[in-house]
Amino acid sequence: MKEKVYITTPIYYVNDVPHIGHAYTTIIADTFARFKRLQGHPTYFMTGTDEHGQKIEQAAKARGKTPKEYADEISAKFRTLWDEFEISYDHFIRTTDEEHKLTAQNVFSKMQANGDIYKGEYEGFYCVSCETFFTATQLLDDNCCPDCGRKTSIVKEESYFFRLSKYQDALLKWYKNDELCVIPRGKKNEVVSFVKGGLKDLSITRTSFDWGVKLPASANDPKHVMYVWLDALVNYLTTLGYSRDDALMDFWQNTTHIVGKDILRFHAVYWPAFLMSLNLALPKHVAAHGWWTRNGEKMSKSKGNVIDPREVAKAYGLENFRYFMLREVPFGQDGDFSQKALIERINSELGNGLGNLLNRIIGMSGKYSEFKIDASNVAKFYNAELEEAHAHLKSAIENLEVLATNRYLEELWKVVTLANGVIAKYEPWAMIKEGKTTEANALVALSANLLAKVAVLLSPAMPKTAGKIAEALSFEINERSFKDLVLDNGVQNFISKPTEPLFPRIESELMPSAAPSVNEPQNEKKDENIITIDDFAKIVIKVGEVLECERVEGSEKLLKFTIDLGEQKPRTILSGIAKYYDPSDLIGKQVCVLANLKERTMMKKYVSQGMILSAEDGSLTLLSTQKKVKNGAIVG
Ligand code: MSP
């Protein structure tokens, strides 16, 4: 049996409603969990909410609620959102769960028994917003928090301390010996220099507020509650039933914590030290991603610049949103959210790349072989292409193993481009004409197999889309097909079925732009290409039917069309698309034509009376309407 795998998101504070930053962490973790299941690993994936601490106490008070009432409300919002997003978590933890409180107390007792906890007095600076202690030298001017910039308060109180300093060398050894314990590398370097700078013992209890886990009865010190970060981190053990007889602790041996860069120190320094004190294995990976910003600023409720993930998913589709988040930013770096960038990726990579590939395969197989795709000759004719695809698939897997989701998707799209490219390069329609039916059918089968491989490995990121592709090719995505098609680079037969387009084109922004944040420049330079509605009214685009189409002698590029635009006489139009289409495929099709373009003479003897519109993104596709319309219908 394959190794058991444990995957965690941070538990989210209940002082704020979920935004796309939270969704990002969760979507990465969900993708990783689905990937591990696809590989056949028994996988346990958790998420949840972090409900104790001064910050929550204050937020509840401000709304006239008890902390628990308030936490119930916001925790449910997170859970409902993840359910709507079909996040495949196995357990949703709340730190107010009774079992969790017992586990936190149990952990405290164990660390105390191991001589790692002592009582002293804490004096220093505390940021309520970040729930973090600082020394004077770490602060910004005016005693402000180095992480969020808010004013810190001075605290002086009796406190229990954890002997963090004792673990400094052991931590440095861990970072040195285990290359991938903290990823990506840049973030690991920051952690190492922080620890090399010297670790002070950590205050782990508070007496100035109540809303937290009490110390175990054995401590006999009822005025203390646990520091919220100790309480919070322990959740990862509670989830596996650390204090229960039927614990799932065998999942602990291979743990990946996915966190934002702002909470890396807690997970890569304090947490492993706690684990050493408890004699537990250290995580396999602590993986830190960057922040989503708007106009360069971190998203937060107080700045009024947050984006609601539900709104994005509603407007653009959940799977498109997932793709965008995973693809847009290199793991570990910050990314700015923009609808323009999202639309661009949906239309080009998803629509023109992936969706178009599926359509072409269905179209060609329908035409050449009654939807039956026979792979018997693929390896004979196209071994080099298969090998090339395999190298990309391997690289996609290697990247996903270390959460480099952008590279994983980039590698998959190299296979999409390869598959679209071989169709353009070998022109199966020409092969059919030349009587090379076997080669043409093998080419369709090659493309279908490349698409199927992509779909299998894309399924962790876009489960529904991958499922639709699998259905259109009549195969299943599971551990078996992952092994056969992806790992072993096998090929197989398919039966294709016509299907709805996967990614309808998006023409304009579908969400109102979020309110500008305080620092947003108000007088941005106007785009010089903007036209008015009157300018647009000058353009006449008509739908017309291709009556005839043939290659132009003496030109490799040009096709000569006769097109019925609903006028008295059909028009002659020349178009440089011979590389992309077989003329006979276009006869009877409707296309969009720029109809009031000045006539021009081409190849000295043809007068072209308009321009056929197409979309280009490396490959090329002609524009048409979604259903048949009357010839001459105006596009506007
Ligand atoms: N409660 C702690 C985590 C305890 S884990 C034992 C916490 N909660 S949080 O709700 O503030 O943040 C949770 C996660 O959301 C973090 O990984 C954080 O980085 C992420 N994000 C919050 N805002 C974000 C962005 N604007 N962009 C990307 N992710 C960010 O910290």
Side-chain angles (χ1 to χ4, degrees):
M1 186 154 88
K2 292 225 168 113
E3 198 182 1
K4 291 185 175 171
V5 173
Y6 184 38
I7 297 161
T8 72
T9 73
I11 44 173
Y12 300 101
Y13 282 134
V14 289
N15 66 327
D16 205 352
V17 291
H19 59 66
I20 65 163
H22 305 125
Y24 182 49
T25 318
T26 304
I27 288 169
I28 295 173
D30 182 60
T31 301
F32 195 56
R34 288 173 187 270
F35 171 54
K36 289 288 136 189
R37 292 188 197 112
L38 185 64
Q39 289 177 317
H41 290 280
T43 301
Y44 204 80
F45 166 33
M46 62 75 55
T47 186
T49 43
D50 187 357
E51 307 186 6
H52 290 128
Q54 205 169 356
K55 185 157 64 165
I56 314 293
E57 194 176 63
Q58 287 175 355
K61 206 166 164 198
R63 288 164 182 80
K65 297 193 169 147
T66 66
K68 181 66 170 50
E69 279 167 356
Y70 180 63
D72 284 348
E73 200 180 292
I74 309 282
S75 176
K77 288 201 162 103
F78 275 97
R79 194 170 182 152
T80 313
L81 178 69
W82 303 148
D83 288 342
E84 274 174 35
F85 276 19
E86 297 186 33
I87 298 299
S88 61
Y89 64 85
D90 296 292
H91 184 67
F92 186 99
I93 192 173
R94 301 183 56 184
T95 52
T96 47
D97 294 341
E98 283 311 314
E99 184 179 347
H100 174 69
K101 293 185 208 164
L102 288 174
T103 308
Q105 289 169 341
N106 188 354
V107 160
F108 190 95
S109 302
K110 284 207 170 129
M111 297 198 307
Q112 199 168 28
N114 288 346
D116 282 333
I117 291 179
Y118 63 92
K119 197 168 176 179
E121 189 172 66
Y122 177 77
E123 184 171 5
F125 299 87
Y126 190 70
C127 174
V128 175
S129 178
C130 299
E131 300 279 16
T132 309
F133 301 104
F134 295 101
T135 58
T137 52
Q138 291 174 305
L139 297 179
L140 305 175
D141 287 348
D142 207 17
N143 292 348
C144 286
C145 168
D147 287 346
C148 72
R150 292 187 179 85
K151 190 124 177 150
T152 59
S153 45
I154 296 175
V155 233
K156 183 172 178 181
E157 57 186 43
E158 181 186 286
S159 175
Y160 286 83
F161 285 82
F162 173 76
R163 290 188 199 282
L164 184 64
S165 54
K166 173 176 151 189
Y167 291 98
Q168 176 162 338
D169 292 342
L171 284 167
L172 288 171
K173 206 163 141 198
W174 180 50
Y175 306 139
K176 191 161 170 229
N177 293 344
D178 187 345
E179 193 172 0
L180 297 175
C181 62
V182 182
I183 47 180
R185 183 183 292 277
K187 294 278 173 273
K188 181 178 178 184
N189 293 343
E190 287 169 24
V191 169
V192 172
S193 33
F194 174 78
V195 175
K196 279 190 175 156
L199 292 178
K200 291 213 165 55
D201 291 348
L202 187 70
S203 163
I204 50 163
T205 66
R206 307 290 310 274
T207 54
S208 55
F209 67 93
D210 244 9
W211 182 238
V213 180
K214 299 266 177 246
L215 299 197
S218 58
N220 197 17
D221 213 343
K223 63 178 187 295
H224 287 262
V225 294
M226 275 181 218
Y227 172 41
V228 60
W229 268 101
L230 170 60
D231 160 2
L233 288 161
V234 166
N235 95 82
Y236 300 133
L237 296 177
T238 311
T239 294
L240 294 185
Y242 179 66
S243 302
R244 268 200 330 251
D245 289 342
D246 58 343
L248 300 164
M249 284 301 287
D250 42 354
F251 280 90
W252 184 255
Q253 299 308 316
N254 184 334
T255 294
T256 296
H257 295 303
I258 293 161
V259 299
K261 64 178 184 180
D262 48 333
I263 56 173
L264 179 58
R265 198 196 317 155
F266 298 97
H267 285 82
V269 182
Y270 305 163
W271 180 231
F274 297 161
L275 290 170
M276 287 186 217
S277 173
L278 295 169
N279 287 318
L280 286 173
L282 302 186
K284 179 161 184 198
H285 303 301
V286 178
H289 64 70
W291 284 340
W292 282 93
T293 58
R294 275 212 61 217
N295 302 310
E297 283 182 56
K298 190 185 179 206
M299 246 169 249
S300 79
K301 205 166 139 195
S302 57
K303 287 190 189 136
N305 64 352
V306 293
I307 294 171
D308 178 355
R310 194 181 266 116
E311 247 185 67
V312 187
K314 211 166 112 197
Y316 292 98
L318 174 60
E319 298 242 324
N320 296 350
F321 173 47
R322 282 175 71 109
Y323 174 81
F324 174 72
M325 298 217 100
L326 296 170
R327 173 74 196 258
E328 180 73 2
V329 279
F331 189 76
Q333 291 179 27
D334 295 348
D336 214 51
F337 182 86
S338 96
Q339 293 191 66
K340 196 166 161 245
L342 170 58
I343 293 171
E344 173 62 27
R345 289 205 185 271
I346 295 174
N347 286 344
S348 63
E349 288 149 20
L350 293 177
N352 292 342
L354 187 63
N356 191 26
L357 177 60
L358 176 64
N359 283 347
R360 293 169 104 179
I361 290 165
I362 295 169
M364 291 188 298
S365 58
K367 209 157 152 196
Y368 308 150
S369 55
E370 292 172 336
F371 299 104
K372 291 192 188 75
I373 300 178
D374 176 357
S376 1
N377 292 309
V378 173
K380 178 167 153 207
F381 292 114
Y382 301 109
N383 200 38
E385 283 81 1
L386 278 177
E387 288 301 317
E388 187 181 336
H390 197 213
H392 295 311
L393 296 171
K394 269 165 64 184
S395 171
I397 291 175
E398 281 159 18
N399 279 298
L400 190 50
E401 290 286 6
V402 290
L403 282 313
T405 59
N406 61 311
R407 295 234 184 91
Y408 140 70
L409 291 171
E410 265 166 41
E411 289 296 330
L412 280 190
W413 253 254
K414 287 184 188 162
V415 182
V416 173
T417 307
L418 176 68
N420 274 320
V422 288
I423 298 170
K425 181 171 157 198
Y426 296 114
E427 302 185 330
W429 49 90
M431 290 174 166
I432 294 273
K433 264 195 164 168
E434 289 164 26
K436 295 184 185 159
T437 322
T438 317
E439 283 92 329
N441 285 331
L443 182 65
V444 177
L446 167 71
S447 314
N449 271 281
L450 296 185
L451 176 61
K453 290 169 197 289
V454 168
V456 173
L457 199 43
L458 180 64
S459 64
M462 301 181 80
K464 288 253 156 68
T465 305
K468 282 185 198 161
I469 296 174
E471 207 189 315
L473 293 179
S474 314
F475 77 103
E476 287 200 4
I477 296 179
N478 50 32
E479 194 188 336
R480 180 76 204 258
S481 55
F482 174 71
K483 182 174 181 306
D484 292 348
L485 284 164
V486 179
L487 295 181
D488 297 346
N489 204 25
V491 291
Q492 67 177 66
N493 300 340
F494 299 101
I495 295 174
S496 74
K497 355 183 218 251
T499 178
E500 292 285 300
L502 294 179
F503 308 101
R505 194 174 170 79
I506 295 173
E507 298 298 344
S508 56
E509 294 190 357
L510 300 175
M511 278 165 38
S513 298
S517 75
V518 213
N519 297 338
E520 190 169 355
Q522 297 299 310
N523 52 351
E524 272 182 4
K525 197 166 159 278
K526 291 255 175 311
D527 185 340
E528 276 138 14
N529 285 326
I530 297 286
I531 60 168
T532 65
I533 192 80
D534 295 335
D535 296 327
F536 181 67
K538 290 184 196 156
I539 296 170
V540 180
I541 300 171
K542 287 185 181 177
V543 180
E545 184 179 332
V546 178
L547 303 178
E548 291 169 49
C549 180
E550 59 190 25
R551 290 183 182 276
V552 173
E553 231 190 279
S555 165
E556 277 184 22
K557 277 194 187 162
L558 289 174
L559 292 182
K560 180 163 130 343
F561 289 83
T562 309
I563 298 187
D564 177 5
L565 286 182
E567 299 161 338
Q568 275 188 335
K569 261 177 61 189
R571 296 199 195 190
T572 302
I573 298 176
L574 273 74
S575 176
I577 58 168
K579 217 167 88 194
Y580 302 99
Y581 284 100
D582 176 4
S584 63
D585 281 344
L586 294 173
I587 295 171
K589 292 269 154 61
Q590 283 193 317
V591 293
C592 294
V593 173
L594 178 59
N596 61 340
L597 186 70
K598 200 168 162 208
E599 289 184 355
R600 59 183 183 139
T601 306
M602 297 171 83
M603 305 284 291
K604 296 204 176 123
K605 56 177 177 178
Y606 303 108
V607 178
S608 183
Q609 303 166 303
M611 184 169 91
I612 301 176
L613 301 180
S614 60
E616 240 191 301
D617 63 337
S619 180
L620 180 141
T621 181
L622 290 180
L623 298 192
S624 191
T625 50
Q626 289 203 341
K627 59 181 181 46
K628 201 164 163 68
V629 294
K630 238 166 90 184
N631 291 337
I634 298 286
V635 178

Short mmCIF file of all heavy atoms in Angstrom, two decimals, residues 103 118 148 163 216 229 231-232 237-238 240-241 243 276 288 302 324 352 368 377 393 395 612 617 622:
data_model
loop_
_atom_site.label_atom_id
_atom_site.label_comp_id
_atom_site.label_asym_id
_atom_site.label_seq_id
_atom_site.Cartn_x
_atom_site.Cartn_y
_atom_site.Cartn_z
N THR A 103 -6.97 18.12 23.73
CA THR A 103 -5.68 17.83 23.08
C THR A 103 -4.67 18.93 23.39
O THR A 103 -3.50 18.65 23.68
CB THR A 103 -5.86 17.70 21.55
OG1 THR A 103 -6.90 16.77 21.31
CG2 THR A 103 -4.59 17.24 20.88
N TYR A 118 8.39 26.56 31.53
CA TYR A 118 8.67 27.12 32.86
C TYR A 118 7.88 28.41 33.03
O TYR A 118 7.46 29.04 32.05
CB TYR A 118 10.17 27.36 33.06
CG TYR A 118 10.77 28.39 32.11
CD1 TYR A 118 10.86 29.75 32.46
CD2 TYR A 118 11.25 28.00 30.85
CE1 TYR A 118 11.40 30.69 31.58
CE2 TYR A 118 11.79 28.93 29.96
CZ TYR A 118 11.86 30.26 30.34
OH TYR A 118 12.39 31.19 29.47
N CYS A 148 2.05 44.14 10.42
CA CYS A 148 0.84 44.75 9.87
C CYS A 148 0.85 46.27 10.00
O CYS A 148 -0.05 46.94 9.49
CB CYS A 148 -0.41 44.19 10.53
SG CYS A 148 -0.62 44.75 12.22
N ARG A 163 10.67 26.55 26.02
CA ARG A 163 12.12 26.70 25.81
C ARG A 163 12.47 26.60 24.32
O ARG A 163 13.06 25.61 23.86
CB ARG A 163 12.87 25.59 26.56
CG ARG A 163 12.83 25.73 28.05
CD ARG A 163 13.76 24.73 28.73
NE ARG A 163 13.38 24.58 30.12
CZ ARG A 163 13.69 25.45 31.08
NH1 ARG A 163 14.42 26.52 30.80
NH2 ARG A 163 13.30 25.24 32.32
N PRO A 216 -4.07 22.81 31.63
CA PRO A 216 -4.59 21.56 32.20
C PRO A 216 -4.74 21.70 33.72
O PRO A 216 -4.00 22.46 34.36
CB PRO A 216 -3.51 20.54 31.84
CG PRO A 216 -2.32 21.32 31.42
CD PRO A 216 -2.79 22.64 30.96
N TRP A 229 -1.57 30.93 19.36
CA TRP A 229 -0.83 30.19 18.34
C TRP A 229 -0.48 28.76 18.77
O TRP A 229 -0.42 27.86 17.94
CB TRP A 229 0.42 30.95 17.89
CG TRP A 229 0.10 31.81 16.70
CD1 TRP A 229 -0.13 33.15 16.68
CD2 TRP A 229 -0.06 31.36 15.35
NE1 TRP A 229 -0.43 33.56 15.41
CE2 TRP A 229 -0.39 32.49 14.57
CE3 TRP A 229 0.03 30.12 14.71
CZ2 TRP A 229 -0.62 32.41 13.20
CZ3 TRP A 229 -0.21 30.05 13.35
CH2 TRP A 229 -0.52 31.18 12.60
N ASP A 231 -2.38 26.98 20.86
CA ASP A 231 -3.71 26.38 20.71
C ASP A 231 -3.98 26.06 19.23
O ASP A 231 -4.36 24.93 18.87
CB ASP A 231 -4.70 27.40 21.31
CG ASP A 231 -6.15 27.28 20.89
OD1 ASP A 231 -6.49 26.37 20.15
OD2 ASP A 231 -6.94 28.13 21.34
N ALA A 232 -3.72 27.01 18.36
CA ALA A 232 -4.06 26.84 16.94
C ALA A 232 -3.23 25.74 16.28
O ALA A 232 -3.76 24.89 15.57
CB ALA A 232 -3.87 28.16 16.20
N LEU A 237 -2.84 18.13 15.26
CA LEU A 237 -2.79 16.85 15.96
C LEU A 237 -4.19 16.42 16.39
O LEU A 237 -4.54 15.25 16.31
CB LEU A 237 -1.88 16.96 17.19
CG LEU A 237 -0.40 17.24 16.88
CD1 LEU A 237 0.39 17.39 18.18
CD2 LEU A 237 0.19 16.11 16.05
N THR A 238 -4.99 17.40 16.85
CA THR A 238 -6.36 17.06 17.26
C THR A 238 -7.07 16.35 16.12
O THR A 238 -7.76 15.35 16.32
CB THR A 238 -7.16 18.34 17.58
OG1 THR A 238 -6.41 19.17 18.44
CG2 THR A 238 -8.51 18.00 18.18
N LEU A 240 -6.08 14.48 13.84
CA LEU A 240 -5.75 13.07 13.67
C LEU A 240 -6.06 12.26 14.94
O LEU A 240 -5.66 11.11 15.07
CB LEU A 240 -4.28 12.91 13.29
CG LEU A 240 -3.88 13.46 11.91
CD1 LEU A 240 -2.43 13.14 11.59
CD2 LEU A 240 -4.78 12.90 10.81
N GLY A 241 -6.72 12.90 15.89
CA GLY A 241 -7.15 12.18 17.09
C GLY A 241 -5.99 11.85 18.02
O GLY A 241 -6.00 10.81 18.69
N SER A 243 -5.21 12.54 20.92
CA SER A 243 -5.52 12.15 22.30
C SER A 243 -6.53 11.01 22.37
O SER A 243 -7.02 10.70 23.45
CB SER A 243 -6.09 13.35 23.05
OG SER A 243 -5.19 14.41 23.02
N MET A 276 9.26 18.58 18.29
CA MET A 276 10.45 17.91 18.84
C MET A 276 10.24 17.65 20.33
O MET A 276 10.59 16.60 20.86
CB MET A 276 11.69 18.78 18.63
CG MET A 276 12.17 18.81 17.18
SD MET A 276 13.72 19.73 17.08
CE MET A 276 13.54 20.56 15.55
N ALA A 288 5.00 27.60 1.69
CA ALA A 288 4.46 28.95 1.89
C ALA A 288 4.18 29.65 0.57
O ALA A 288 5.08 29.80 -0.27
CB ALA A 288 5.45 29.78 2.70
N SER A 302 -10.10 45.69 6.37
CA SER A 302 -10.00 47.08 6.82
C SER A 302 -9.64 48.01 5.67
O SER A 302 -10.01 49.18 5.68
CB SER A 302 -8.97 47.18 7.94
OG SER A 302 -7.75 46.69 7.47
N PHE A 324 -7.01 29.87 -12.78
CA PHE A 324 -6.34 31.17 -12.76
C PHE A 324 -5.45 31.31 -11.53
O PHE A 324 -4.28 31.69 -11.64
CB PHE A 324 -7.40 32.28 -12.78
CG PHE A 324 -6.82 33.65 -12.62
CD1 PHE A 324 -6.10 34.24 -13.65
CD2 PHE A 324 -6.98 34.36 -11.44
CE1 PHE A 324 -5.56 35.51 -13.50
CE2 PHE A 324 -6.45 35.62 -11.28
CZ PHE A 324 -5.73 36.20 -12.32
N ASN A 352 -9.04 28.67 -26.33
CA ASN A 352 -8.35 28.39 -27.61
C ASN A 352 -7.40 27.21 -27.51
O ASN A 352 -7.16 26.52 -28.49
CB ASN A 352 -7.53 29.61 -28.05
CG ASN A 352 -8.45 30.76 -28.45
OD1 ASN A 352 -9.62 30.54 -28.70
ND2 ASN A 352 -7.91 31.97 -28.47
N TYR A 368 -13.66 11.46 -39.96
CA TYR A 368 -12.80 10.45 -40.60
C TYR A 368 -13.11 9.02 -40.18
O TYR A 368 -12.77 8.08 -40.87
CB TYR A 368 -11.32 10.70 -40.30
CG TYR A 368 -10.84 12.10 -40.59
CD1 TYR A 368 -9.81 12.66 -39.85
CD2 TYR A 368 -11.41 12.87 -41.61
CE1 TYR A 368 -9.35 13.93 -40.09
CE2 TYR A 368 -10.97 14.16 -41.85
CZ TYR A 368 -9.95 14.69 -41.09
OH TYR A 368 -9.51 15.95 -41.33
N ASN A 377 -1.74 2.67 -34.42
CA ASN A 377 -0.54 3.10 -35.16
C ASN A 377 0.13 4.35 -34.60
O ASN A 377 1.03 4.90 -35.23
CB ASN A 377 -0.93 3.36 -36.62
CG ASN A 377 -1.30 2.07 -37.30
OD1 ASN A 377 -0.53 1.10 -37.24
ND2 ASN A 377 -2.48 2.02 -37.89
N LEU A 393 4.94 15.77 -18.98
CA LEU A 393 4.07 15.23 -17.93
C LEU A 393 4.89 14.92 -16.67
O LEU A 393 4.47 15.20 -15.55
CB LEU A 393 3.37 13.95 -18.41
CG LEU A 393 2.40 14.14 -19.58
CD1 LEU A 393 1.93 12.80 -20.12
CD2 LEU A 393 1.19 14.98 -19.16
N SER A 395 7.61 16.35 -15.78
CA SER A 395 7.97 17.62 -15.16
C SER A 395 6.77 18.24 -14.44
O SER A 395 6.92 18.84 -13.36
CB SER A 395 8.52 18.54 -16.25
OG SER A 395 8.70 19.81 -15.76
N ILE A 612 -12.20 38.06 -43.64
CA ILE A 612 -12.82 37.03 -42.78
C ILE A 612 -12.17 37.13 -41.39
O ILE A 612 -10.93 37.20 -41.28
CB ILE A 612 -12.59 35.63 -43.38
CG1 ILE A 612 -13.22 35.61 -44.77
CG2 ILE A 612 -13.19 34.56 -42.49
CD1 ILE A 612 -12.99 34.32 -45.52
N ASP A 617 -3.99 32.77 -31.40
CA ASP A 617 -3.23 32.69 -30.15
C ASP A 617 -2.12 31.68 -30.33
O ASP A 617 -1.91 30.78 -29.52
CB ASP A 617 -4.14 32.25 -29.00
CG ASP A 617 -4.69 30.86 -29.23
OD1 ASP A 617 -4.74 30.43 -30.40
OD2 ASP A 617 -5.04 30.21 -28.26
N LEU A 622 -11.47 30.42 -37.06
CA LEU A 622 -12.37 31.40 -37.66
C LEU A 622 -13.53 31.70 -36.72
O LEU A 622 -13.99 30.82 -35.99
CB LEU A 622 -12.93 30.85 -38.98
CG LEU A 622 -11.92 30.74 -40.12
CD1 LEU A 622 -12.59 30.19 -41.37
CD2 LEU A 622 -11.32 32.11 -40.44
#
